[in-house]
Amino acid sequence: MNFAIIAAGEGSRLVQEGVALPKPLVDLDGRPMIGRLLDIFEDCGAESVSIIVNEQMTQVRAYLEERMKTSKTPIRLVVKSTPSSMHSFYEVSRNFPAGSKFILTTVDTIFREDDFRAYARAFEEDDTVDGYMAVTSFIDDEKPLYIDVDKDMLITAFRDEPFDGVRYISGGIYGLTPPAIKILEECMSLGVSRMRNYQRALVAAGLRLRACPFPKIVDVDHAGDIATARAFIAAGK
């Protein structure tokens, strides 16, 4: 299994709220959040991890370059500023080995390790679908992406607004297969922007995406979210 991390955002809200460190280096449990992700991926048997950071993140780049010297797992680093997370995804996707499954997450998507390991194992073993999309019923996002599913937990729609019977929102963890890269390339050529529009394109193209519930996923967008994430991780130990 191959993994990828999008860490190319500016983290401007944290800076405005007095957080001095770049978001990927914020300590959550004795480790920078990006270091925690790398540890979890390695524990899941990662064959490689592709990471994108923006050109201004010199501290993050330095941290990753040091880690690359001792990491048992190949880390493929892309340094590029992009206009959206979908564009960042496209940049790291060029490092994926041909024909492989992969799991992509944003750096500030905080989950419990046991939940993620179970998700990654299930995705690796399931060859009946084109993707495993993490979802959660815990809504703590400023602009959640609502998920519509059928009786088999296959995703039928991604919606910007809540609807009758809504149970889940997107958790920001994407397990995908090679057909999804083809759709990504088509989206790029058509000028599509935003990850949520890319996800809609996956459904429109007929890809089978299974919704995989996590009890809780926390996003770190504001300074106050750091304490929430630390408490959430600590409670799961």
Side-chain angles (χ1 to χ4, degrees), residues 15 30 55-56 85 96 99 125 128 132 154-155 197 221 228:
V15 173
E55 294 162 9
Q56 290 72 45
S85 56
F96 296 158
E125 294 173 354
T128 66
Y132 264 43
L154 295 177
I155 296 173
N197 292 329
D221 293 320
T228 301

Side-chain angles (χ1 to χ4, degrees), residues 5-7 14 22-38 40-41 104-117 119 134-141 169-174 213-237:
I5 303 170
I6 294 175
L14 292 184
K23 184 191 289 189
L25 298 183
V26 170
D27 185 322
L28 295 182
D29 63 347
R31 297 172 287 181
M33 66 172 73
I34 196 166
R36 177 177 180 268
L37 282 177
L38 286 168
I40 293 171
F41 294 166
L104 170 82
T105 181
T106 52
V107 72
D108 59 350
T109 298
I110 311 302
F111 43 77
R112 288 184 175 148
E113 296 183 34
D114 287 347
D115 294 334
F116 184 83
R117 275 194 289 268
Y119 159 84
V135 300
T136 181
S137 57
F138 176 75
I139 301 178
D140 187 36
D141 196 304
I169 64 168
S170 173
I173 307 169
Y174 317 94
F214 278 55
K216 186 176 180 178
I217 296 174
V218 174
D219 287 330
V220 177
D221 293 320
H222 295 279
D225 297 332
I226 296 171
T228 301
R230 286 172 177 165
F232 171 53
I233 293 170
K237 291 185 177 179

Side-chain angles (χ1 to χ4, degrees), residues 46-236:
E47 298 172 45
S48 70
V49 182
S50 299
I51 306 172
I52 183 168
V53 301
N54 67 44
E55 294 162 9
Q56 290 72 45
M57 284 185 172
T58 54
Q59 288 177 271
V60 181
R61 179 178 181 178
Y63 170 83
L64 291 170
E65 287 174 342
E66 281 300 309
R67 175 123 185 182
M68 289 163 70
K69 294 176 182 178
T70 57
S71 176
K72 295 178 181 178
T73 302
I75 297 174
R76 298 166 176 150
L77 179 60
V78 177
V79 180
K80 187 171 183 177
S81 299
T82 62
S84 75
S85 56
M86 194 195 85
H87 289 77
S88 294
F89 174 26
Y90 174 73
E91 294 298 334
V92 294
S93 73
R94 296 158 128 184
N95 287 326
F96 296 158
S100 69
K101 288 184 174 183
F102 59 90
I103 294 176
L104 170 82
T105 181
T106 52
V107 72
D108 59 350
T109 298
I110 311 302
F111 43 77
R112 288 184 175 148
E113 296 183 34
D114 287 347
D115 294 334
F116 184 83
R117 275 194 289 268
Y119 159 84
R121 183 167 54 251
F123 175 49
E124 189 166 26
E125 294 173 354
D126 190 347
D127 292 324
T128 66
V129 294
D130 300 298
Y132 264 43
M133 313 299 266
V135 300
T136 181
S137 57
F138 176 75
I139 301 178
D140 187 36
D141 196 304
E142 293 180 338
K143 295 181 180 179
L145 179 62
Y146 298 91
I147 308 296
D148 203 349
V149 298
D150 65 15
K151 61 181 179 60
D152 297 316
M153 291 297 287
L154 295 177
I155 296 173
T156 58
F158 294 93
R159 304 182 187 276
D160 291 326
E161 302 295 333
F163 53 91
D164 289 342
V166 63
R167 296 163 59 196
Y168 302 112
I169 64 168
S170 173
I173 307 169
Y174 317 94
L176 293 167
T177 54
I181 296 298
K182 180 180 179 182
I183 304 301
L184 175 62
E185 292 169 348
E186 291 174 0
C187 285
M188 290 292 293
S189 68
L190 293 170
V192 174
S193 63
R194 305 187 72 191
M195 279 294 287
R196 60 184 57 198
N197 292 329
Y198 163 67
Q199 292 176 80
R200 292 183 178 112
L202 294 176
V203 173
L207 270 65
R208 289 166 52 84
L209 306 176
R210 189 176 304 284
C212 301
F214 278 55
K216 186 176 180 178
I217 296 174
V218 174
D219 287 330
V220 177
D221 293 320
H222 295 279
D225 297 332
I226 296 171
T228 301
R230 286 172 177 165
F232 171 53
I233 293 170

